[in-house]
């Protein structure tokens, strides 16, 4: 079954075409990585899929349902969770309260269920010992992990992660890779990531964007050996985009 399908997806900002004619099919349970050079359109694409950015043209289907014009809140209720490239946490709430707020989107006022799922998410991200600390007092790396926990606790069908390892220490990156591998098959993951070690070790399939279009899609081995990808991206410095 296809989790996400896009057809002819485009978004322009004035005269700038950020993405143009994107066709994607991402099966349920797959970990799909998006890579490409600075300005390739990766963050715009996931912004459109998540509902944060309206498409100029094209369609998006999620589990067979047309969600092209649905607002972000409706997409969340359908099972789409999204972490931002720039951290977005409630600084004056505790780490626990941040995750519990996200859990309530799914579990409502079921207090015991919310608390249990919150504790589980914090443990999986190595944040359990920080549960009562203020989110705003955490380092940038720990805020990144907190935001991942806030998405994970929603038990999404589609989990979109935009630069999740940015700012993480080496040991935290290794823990993140372990987490993604542990989620394989239980949810669909769409991952923007410039750390190629993370991409090659966690993705089932990789889609390469260049200048707002799909350059190619393949397995990690196929992408690593692709001459066009080498010229477009892997041979360059990995700038954010």
């Amino acid at each position: 079954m296809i989790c996400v399908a896009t057809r002819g997806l485009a978004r322009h900002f004035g005269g700038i075409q950020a993405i143009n004619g994107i066709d994607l099919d991402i099966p349920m349970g797959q970990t799909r990585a998006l890579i490409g050079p600075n300005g390739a359109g990766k963050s715009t694409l996931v912004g459109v899929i998540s509902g944060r950015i309206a498409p100029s043209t094209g369609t998006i289907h999620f589990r067979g349902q047309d969600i092209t014009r649905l607002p972000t809140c409706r997409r969340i209720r359908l099972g789409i969770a999204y972490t931002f490239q720039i951290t977005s946490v409630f600084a004056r709430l505790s780490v626990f309260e941040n995750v519990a707020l996200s859990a309530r989107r799914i579990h409502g006022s079921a207090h015991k269920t919310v608390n249990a799922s919150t504790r589980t998410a914090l443990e999986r991200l190595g944040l359990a010992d920080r549960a009562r600390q203020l989110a705003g007092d955490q380092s940038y790396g720990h805020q990144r992990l907190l935001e991942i926990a806030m998405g994970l606790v929603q038990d999404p069908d589609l989990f979109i992660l935009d630069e999740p390892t940015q700012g993480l220490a080496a040991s935290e990156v290794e823990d993140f890779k372990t987490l993604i591998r542990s989620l394989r098959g239980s949810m669909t993951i769409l991952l923007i990531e410039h750390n190629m070690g993370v991409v090659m070790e966690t993705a089932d399939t990789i889609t390469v964007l260049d200048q707002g279009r799909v350059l190619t899609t393949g397995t990690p081995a196929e992408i690593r050996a692709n001459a066009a990808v080498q010229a477009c991206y892997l041979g360059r410095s990995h700038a954010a985009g």
Side-chain angles (χ1 to χ4, degrees):
M1 181 180 179
I2 298 298
C3 180
V4 180
T6 71
R7 292 294 180 269
L9 205 60
R11 171 67 196 205
H12 56 78
F13 299 93
I16 299 174
Q17 196 79 32
I19 56 173
N20 187 14
I22 301 290
D23 293 342
L24 283 181
D25 287 297
I26 305 177
M28 292 291 295
Q30 184 182 88
T31 298
R32 174 72 63 93
L34 287 177
I35 67 171
N38 183 35
K42 304 179 297 296
S43 290
T44 299
L45 176 57
V46 297
V48 172
I49 291 173
S50 68
R52 293 181 58 244
I53 301 172
S56 300
T57 58
T59 61
I60 310 161
H61 284 77
F62 176 63
R63 303 188 67 178
Q65 178 178 344
D66 189 339
I67 64 168
T68 309
R69 302 301 169 190
L70 289 185
T72 301
C73 59
R74 290 280 303 279
R75 299 186 199 202
I76 290 171
R77 287 197 290 270
L78 288 174
I80 298 176
Y82 178 86
T83 68
F84 296 91
Q85 187 175 14
I86 300 172
T87 56
S88 179
V89 300
F90 298 100
R92 295 185 180 183
L93 297 181
S94 71
V95 167
F96 187 94
E97 289 167 332
N98 269 266
V99 180
L101 279 175
S102 290
R104 290 189 189 102
R105 292 176 175 175
I106 303 300
H107 302 298
S109 58
H111 186 70
K112 289 184 178 179
T113 304
V114 167
N115 285 349
S117 59
T118 298
R119 285 192 294 269
T120 298
L122 291 174
E123 288 167 1
R124 295 189 77 169
L125 272 300
L127 296 172
D129 61 340
R130 299 173 180 270
R132 299 303 171 188
Q133 298 174 15
L134 289 180
D137 290 342
Q138 306 305 305
S139 68
Y140 180 80
H142 284 117
Q143 288 188 27
R144 297 294 293 166
L145 293 173
L146 172 57
E147 192 175 41
I148 294 169
M150 291 165 67
L152 186 62
V153 78
Q154 297 175 48
D155 194 24
D157 292 314
L158 173 64
F159 195 10
I160 302 174
L161 295 155
D162 193 347
E163 295 290 347
T165 68
Q166 182 177 309
L168 298 189
S171 61
E172 293 168 339
V173 172
E174 290 302 314
D175 289 343
F176 174 79
K177 289 190 287 189
T178 299
L179 171 68
I180 295 301
R181 286 191 289 261
S182 75
L183 297 173
R184 177 172 283 133
S186 65
M187 63 181 64
T188 306
I189 297 173
L190 181 55
L191 170 70
I192 294 178
E193 182 56 62
H194 284 92
N195 183 321
M196 294 310 295
V198 173
V199 170
M200 295 298 178
E201 293 177 40
T202 63
D204 300 310
T205 303
I206 301 169
T207 292
V208 185
L209 297 186
D210 188 34
Q211 298 181 15
R213 296 179 180 272
V214 174
L215 179 65
T216 189
T217 294
T219 65
E222 290 169 340
I223 295 301
R224 189 182 288 114
N226 188 298
V229 177
Q230 291 285 343
C232 149
Y233 181 59
L234 294 181
R236 302 181 187 179
S237 61
H238 299 160

